[in-house]
């Protein structure tokens, strides 16, 4: 996936340089900076990956001085003979290389930087989650978003120093096509942001299943997207960079992605984990050919419930707690197949083509629950029930996810017993 990010960096630099050539601009080397930082909420140190592209205006030696503390250029002199020398100093790195006119050079920088993280706190209560956002990055953030588990929720611009509360409540129905930005993706910057995010986060509902990245990275290898991140975009360089050897510098363009992992707090004994936030696992490896990432499954043949078993567990921040009520969200589409479902072995009543939210019965006699096992059985419809009459038919589960009402175990022990079926 990092290779795709590198390609995005090269595309960013090439497109920007082409626009400068077409519309005119200052003569000199072009510097194009595509970077990403990620840190825990409130941390003073962030992990940084910076892809600095140089578009030389003339042939000759170049010297770049990168001021970045623990963030250092990663010269690949063993594979790139034009990198001449790299000298590490206390707070800077001097990198010398040979430049060819019009030949794009990509110089990766890895390490840590100080003071680049945002402060994000998720607070759980009986009706959902409130995310308290504070932009402490020093940058104005554009097109910021919350990637809450398997859901993506646009937040919008967040100025430097600004604070905002963002609410995630009970879901009302399927939401398979949520995007990172609320507005249409029309300009080149928005298209670059989308390509960059799709290189980092697989989006099976907006990708063609014939794409190589989907076939190579899907399934358990790319994870089930059960974590939460806040992100936003900054149009400024990550690190100060000086150009030496008397070379002239043309326009510098920069785009950076700031990511923050939230801290958590449970404010009430009874709390709701909205759809997308339960930790998803697929215990049977035979499910991998049908799993396309997030909560999307596809296939072209019948599948038993033992194979399509999905276990939804409580996230670490919610424990110790137990599940008191649950709602299953399904969005199934097929002309030749139908789906049946069980929850912890109990059959669920579903319509012929289930699309929407369905209550999950949780008998009290089963004892405390910290996870729910959903098994899905895909079988041919009656008119395709004859042997292999279903060949050529496909099925598509655009969404299968869970929303749970939970209670802290310390308070659950003293609460009246009873199994609820209405979750949210």
């Amino acid at each position: 996936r990092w290779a795709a990010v590198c390609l995005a960096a090269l595309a960013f630099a090439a497109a920007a340089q082409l626009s400068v050539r077409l519309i005119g601009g200052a003569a000199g080397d072009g510097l194009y900076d595509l970077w990403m930082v990620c840190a825990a909420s409130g941390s003073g140190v962030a992990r940084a990956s910076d892809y600095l592209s140089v578009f030389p205006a003339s042939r000759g030696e170049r010297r770049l001085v990168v001021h970045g503390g623990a963030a250092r250029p990663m010269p690949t002199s063993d594979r790139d003979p034009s990198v001449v020398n790299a000298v590490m100093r206390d707070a800077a790195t001097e990198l010398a290389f040979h430049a060819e006119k019009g030949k794009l050079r990509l110089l990766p920088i890895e390490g840590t930087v100080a003071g680049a993280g945002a402060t994000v706190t998720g607070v759980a209560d009986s009706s959902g989650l409130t995310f308290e956002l504070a932009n402490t990055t020093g940058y104005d953030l554009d097109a910021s978003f919350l990637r809450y588990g398997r859901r993506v929720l646009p937040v919008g611009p967040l100025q430097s120093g600004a604070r905002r509360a963002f609410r995630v409540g009970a879901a009302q129905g399927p939401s398979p096509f949520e995007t990172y930005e609320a507005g249409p993706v029309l300009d080149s910057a928005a298209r670059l942001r989308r390509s960059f995010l799709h290189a980092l986060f697989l989006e099976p509902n907006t990708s063609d299943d014939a794409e190589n990245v989907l076939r190579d990275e899907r399934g358990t290898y790319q994870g089930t997207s059960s974590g939460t991140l806040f992100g936003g975009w900054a149009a400024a360089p990550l690190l100060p960079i000086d150009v030496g050897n008397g070379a002239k510098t043309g326009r510098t363009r920069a785009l950076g992605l700031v990511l923050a992992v939230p801290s958590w707090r449970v404010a009430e004994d009874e709390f709701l984990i909205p759809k997308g936030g339960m930790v998803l696992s697929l215990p049977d490896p035979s499910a991998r050919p049908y799993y396309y990432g997030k909560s999307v499954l596809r296939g072209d043949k019948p599948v038993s419930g033992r194979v399509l078993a999905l276990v939804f567990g409580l996230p670490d921040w919610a424990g110790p707690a137990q599940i008191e009520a649950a709602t299953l969200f399904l969005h199934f589409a097929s002309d030749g197949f139908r789906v049946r479902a069980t929850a912890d072995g109990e059959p669920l009543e579903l319509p012929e083509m289930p699309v929407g939210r369905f209550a999950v019965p949780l008998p009290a006699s089963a004892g405390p629950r910290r996870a729910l096992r959903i098994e899905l059985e895909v079988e041919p419809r009656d008119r395709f029930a004859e042997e292999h009459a279903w060949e050529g038919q496909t099925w598509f589960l655009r969404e299968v996810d869970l929303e749970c009402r939970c209670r802290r175990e310390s308070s659950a022990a003293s609460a009246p017993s009873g199994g609820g079926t209405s979750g949210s």
Side-chain angles (χ1 to χ4, degrees):
R1 212 171 296 159
W2 284 111
V5 176
C6 289
L7 290 176
L10 289 170
F12 173 52
Q17 183 64 24
L18 178 61
S19 67
V20 170
R21 284 186 171 185
L22 291 176
I23 65 176
D29 292 348
L31 297 179
Y32 306 98
D33 195 6
L34 184 64
W35 54 270
M36 180 177 69
V37 296
C38 185
S41 173
S43 173
V45 178
R47 179 187 171 186
S49 297
D50 193 337
Y51 298 92
L52 178 66
S53 299
V54 182
F55 204 100
S58 60
R59 186 175 185 273
E61 301 300 316
R62 292 293 189 275
R63 180 172 57 86
L64 293 181
V65 181
V66 180
H67 304 273
R72 301 293 191 182
M74 305 289 289
T76 54
S77 56
D78 56 330
R79 297 188 302 272
D80 190 349
S82 61
V83 175
V84 178
N85 191 30
V87 179
M88 307 292 184
R89 307 191 190 283
D90 290 341
T93 300
E94 181 179 307
L95 182 64
F97 64 95
H98 181 76
E100 293 288 343
K101 182 179 179 179
K103 184 178 180 181
L104 194 66
R105 297 298 313 279
L106 179 64
L107 304 173
I109 300 172
E110 296 281 349
T112 58
V113 294
T119 302
V120 184
T121 303
V123 182
D125 57 37
S126 59
S127 59
L129 301 172
T130 298
F131 287 91
E132 300 169 350
L133 312 174
N135 183 0
T136 54
T137 65
Y139 303 102
D140 291 337
L141 297 180
D142 188 26
S144 64
F145 60 88
L146 182 69
R147 195 168 190 271
Y148 166 66
R150 290 167 296 281
R151 297 173 62 186
V152 177
L153 306 169
V155 176
L158 195 63
Q159 300 299 309
S160 177
R163 295 178 176 271
R164 184 180 303 174
F166 190 83
R167 185 73 180 166
V168 181
Q172 300 304 311
S175 52
F177 297 116
E178 291 170 316
T179 60
Y180 290 92
E181 300 188 28
V185 178
L186 298 177
D187 56 38
S188 58
R191 290 195 297 271
L192 177 64
R193 292 195 295 263
R194 182 176 61 181
S195 65
F196 191 72
L197 290 174
H198 281 207
L200 292 173
F201 310 125
L202 187 62
E203 297 300 329
N205 274 318
T206 56
S207 301
D208 183 352
D209 63 359
E211 291 181 12
N212 290 333
V213 65
L214 195 59
R215 292 193 178 279
D216 293 342
E217 300 284 345
R218 74 183 188 193
T220 51
Y221 287 165
Q222 66 91 29
T224 56
S225 304
S226 296
T228 297
L229 286 170
F230 169 76
W233 296 92
L238 175 64
L239 302 169
I241 299 174
D242 296 331
V243 180
N245 285 17
K248 296 175 63 177
T249 302
R251 182 178 301 179
T252 298
R253 300 191 179 189
L255 182 66
L257 175 62
V258 179
L259 296 173
V261 180
S263 58
W264 295 90
R265 177 166 56 89
V266 178
E268 299 178 6
D269 288 340
E270 182 181 298
F271 59 96
L272 181 72
I273 301 179
K275 180 184 69 173
M278 296 288 285
V279 176
L280 171 61
S281 60
L282 286 76
D284 193 325
S286 302
R288 185 179 182 272
Y290 308 101
Y291 181 66
Y292 277 71
K294 299 183 85 169
S295 56
V296 176
L297 299 119
R298 302 179 187 177
D300 59 2
K301 63 183 66 176
V303 190
S304 72
R306 180 191 63 80
V307 171
L308 293 186
L310 296 86
V311 177
F312 294 89
L314 293 176
D316 290 341
W317 59 262
Q322 62 189 50
I323 301 170
E324 290 203 328
T327 301
L328 177 66
F329 291 83
L330 278 179
H331 191 160
F332 181 79
S334 177
D335 291 330
F337 296 94
R338 62 189 172 199
V339 65
R340 303 184 187 276
T342 63
D344 281 358
E346 295 292 328
L348 301 180
E349 294 185 7
L350 300 176
E352 184 76 7
M353 190 74 69
V355 176
R357 45 185 291 162
F358 306 93
V360 178
L362 300 179
S365 58
R369 283 183 173 85
R370 297 171 183 84
L372 274 174
R373 181 185 177 100
I374 304 295
E375 293 189 359
L376 304 171
E377 183 171 355
V378 179
E379 59 183 19
R381 295 183 183 275
D382 293 340
R383 65 180 184 274
F384 297 100
E386 297 181 5
E387 186 176 2
H388 293 289
W390 45 262
E391 289 185 349
Q393 299 294 317
T394 61
W395 55 268
F396 185 13
L397 264 164
R398 287 181 171 173
E399 182 176 52
V400 50
D401 220 319
L402 211 62
E403 186 166 272
C404 293
R405 188 170 298 280
C406 307
R407 183 178 292 273
R408 287 183 174 180
E409 289 194 342
S410 57
S411 59
S414 58
S417 61
T421 58
S422 60
S424 47

